[in-house]
């Protein structure tokens, strides 16, 4: 029943897409800027930095929204149809929106897929399937630099009159990302190597672990589409108790109930593990959170992890 509903919902969105495609596009907000729509908060932030004054950015997903489970509304479809540029992550992050992006590509809009600018050898496999890759590339700063270059290149091609500005914005941002990368490495060095084990609600941090030397375990898989079962909780609880892991972490875009269940299971094994804090995984922080940008979000995560594990 649920599968049939999802199929009908997807077909309904495609019907909206086809019907609204016959309508006249809405005018740009200003004559001098590109109307850009980005799926996630990370990409909205990145697009605004690279595009600068030449883009008007609208994000589909707000802070705390899980992109794995996000279902586009009819309004979202219309917004993307009327955009000059659409930016999305790819790698199945926006899993329920794939058909929409395919349809957009044939409409003449500039569609920027971050996946297209990444080398396959730099990607991690999705669990045990080598043909599908982990989409959480923003947790490795070197891959986020590649994402920034992709956005700059595509914007320059779409709006050659301002290509120099996009290139200048990119160079400034790459320098900031280099500074961030150094900050992360310096902070991580405060944690003894044997204590660098990061346990979170779902497997969003493997790129972070590979880049900065952490063993990473998630209670749920790479996608939040499937819930953790009793066996998953039990197995991870055994690992935590055996290795005396100091802390586990909840995530801003995943309900905390599974991590709390894990904490209780560890306690039943005679060991108390603390909840080390909340990490931003699939979205940036909200207004006044101190994590409103990619740079601030990554710093906030690193500070939380180091404080809990060192």
């Amino acid at each position: 029943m649920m599968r049939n509903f999802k199929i009908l919902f997807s077909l309904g969105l495609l019907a909206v897409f086809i019907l609204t495609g016959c309508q006249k596009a809405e005018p740009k907000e200003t004559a001098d800027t590109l109307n850009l729509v980005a799926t996630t908060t990370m990409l909205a932030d990145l697009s605004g930095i690279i595009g600068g004054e030449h883009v008007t950015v609208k994000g589909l997903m707000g802070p705390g929204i899980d992109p794995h489970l996000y279902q586009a509304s009819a309004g979202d479809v219309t917004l993307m149809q009327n955009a000059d540029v659409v930016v999305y992550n790819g790698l199945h992050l926006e899993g329920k929106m794939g058909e929409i992006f395919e349809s957009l590509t044939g409409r003449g809009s500039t569609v920027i897929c971050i996946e297209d600018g990444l080398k396959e050898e730099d990607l991690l496999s999705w669990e045990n399937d080598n043909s599908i890759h982990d989409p959480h590339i923003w947790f490795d700063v070197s891959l986020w630099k590649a994402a920034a270059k992709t956005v700059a290149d595509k914007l320059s091609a779409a709006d050659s009159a301002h290509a120099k500005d996009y290139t200048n914005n990119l160079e400034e941002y790459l320098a900031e990302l280099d500074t961030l990368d150094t900050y992360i490495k310096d902070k991580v060095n405060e944690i003894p190597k044997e204590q660098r084990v990061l346990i979170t609600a779902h497997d969003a941090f493997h790129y972070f672990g590979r880049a900065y030397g952490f063993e990473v375990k998630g209670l749920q898989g790479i996608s939040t589409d499937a819930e953790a079962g009793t066996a998953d909780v039990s197995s991870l609880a055994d690992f935590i108790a055996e290795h005396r892991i100091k802390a586990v972490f909840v995530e801003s875009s995943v309900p905390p109930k599974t991590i709390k269940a894990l904490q209780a299971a560890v306690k039943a094994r005679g060991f108390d593990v603390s909840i080390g804090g909340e990490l931003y995984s699939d979205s940036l922080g909200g207004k006044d959170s101190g994590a409103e940008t990619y740079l601030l979000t990554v710093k906030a995560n690193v500070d939380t992890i180091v404080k809990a594990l060192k």
Side-chain angles (χ1 to χ4, degrees), residues 9-88:
F9 185 89
S10 178
L11 290 173
L13 277 182
L14 286 176
V16 169
F17 196 101
I18 294 168
L19 290 172
T20 55
C22 299
Q23 299 174 1
K24 184 178 179 181
E26 296 176 0
K28 299 178 188 178
E29 294 200 0
T30 73
D32 298 325
T33 62
L34 293 173
N35 181 11
L36 186 151
V37 175
T39 55
T40 66
T41 53
M42 294 78 70
L43 291 176
D45 177 61
L46 175 60
S47 299
I49 290 169
I50 302 301
E53 64 183 359
H54 304 305
V55 299
T56 300
V57 178
K58 291 184 179 178
L60 291 186
M61 307 175 197
I65 299 298
D66 183 348
H68 299 285
L69 303 179
Y70 188 80
Q71 300 214 20
S73 67
D76 291 336
V77 173
T78 300
L79 190 65
M80 287 187 285
Q81 283 183 323
N82 292 331
D84 299 306
V85 182
V86 175
V87 183
Y88 73 104

Side-chain angles (χ1 to χ4, degrees), residues 15-227:
V16 169
F17 196 101
I18 294 168
L19 290 172
T20 55
C22 299
Q23 299 174 1
K24 184 178 179 181
E26 296 176 0
K28 299 178 188 178
E29 294 200 0
T30 73
D32 298 325
T33 62
L34 293 173
N35 181 11
L36 186 151
V37 175
T39 55
T40 66
T41 53
M42 294 78 70
L43 291 176
D45 177 61
L46 175 60
S47 299
I49 290 169
I50 302 301
E53 64 183 359
H54 304 305
V55 299
T56 300
V57 178
K58 291 184 179 178
L60 291 186
M61 307 175 197
I65 299 298
D66 183 348
H68 299 285
L69 303 179
Y70 188 80
Q71 300 214 20
S73 67
D76 291 336
V77 173
T78 300
L79 190 65
M80 287 187 285
Q81 283 183 323
N82 292 331
D84 299 306
V85 182
V86 175
V87 183
Y88 73 104
N89 189 85
L91 297 169
H92 301 280
L93 179 70
E94 306 96 340
K96 299 183 182 299
M97 297 174 65
E99 292 172 324
I100 297 174
F101 298 132
E102 290 177 9
S103 299
L104 277 170
T105 303
R107 289 178 54 87
S109 301
T110 296
V111 179
I112 303 174
C113 177
I114 299 303
E115 175 184 353
D116 293 341
L118 302 173
K119 297 177 181 178
E120 186 171 2
E121 58 263 31
D122 292 333
L123 299 175
L124 294 172
S125 297
W126 182 309
E127 296 167 351
N128 296 318
D129 189 343
N130 291 328
S131 66
I132 305 177
H133 298 102
D134 185 340
H136 303 91
I137 55 97
W138 53 93
F139 286 121
D140 181 339
V141 174
S142 69
L143 295 182
W144 198 240
K145 290 170 68 175
K149 292 175 183 176
T150 298
V151 172
D153 289 345
K154 296 292 186 179
L155 286 180
S156 295
D159 181 22
S160 58
H162 300 115
K164 184 176 180 180
D165 291 338
Y166 299 138
T167 300
N168 289 340
N169 292 342
L170 171 65
E171 293 305 319
E172 291 178 6
Y173 191 51
L174 292 179
E176 292 185 278
L177 291 176
D178 284 337
T179 300
L180 175 65
D181 189 56
T182 299
Y183 178 86
I184 297 170
K185 291 172 180 174
D186 288 345
K187 290 294 291 185
V188 166
N189 282 336
E190 297 178 19
I191 307 174
K193 289 184 178 181
E194 65 274 11
Q195 293 173 209
R196 296 178 193 174
V197 181
L198 181 61
I199 297 175
T200 60
H202 88 295
D203 272 334
F205 291 88
H206 283 289
Y207 286 107
F208 177 85
R210 182 183 68 178
Y212 304 108
F214 282 80
E215 181 179 0
V216 176
K217 292 182 177 291
L219 188 51
Q220 292 173 255
I222 287 173
S223 173
T224 56
D225 205 14
E227 291 192 6

Side-chain angles (χ1 to χ4, degrees), residues 194-200 214-219 231-248 262 265-266 269 271 273:
E194 65 274 11
Q195 293 173 209
R196 296 178 193 174
V197 181
L198 181 61
I199 297 175
T200 60
F214 282 80
E215 181 179 0
V216 176
K217 292 182 177 291
L219 188 51
D232 300 310
V233 173
S234 178
S235 176
L236 195 50
D238 288 341
F239 177 86
I240 292 168
E242 179 183 350
H243 293 86
R244 318 295 283 183
I245 306 300
K246 294 178 67 173
V248 296
L262 175 64
V266 174
R269 288 157 173 75
F271 180 70
V273 62

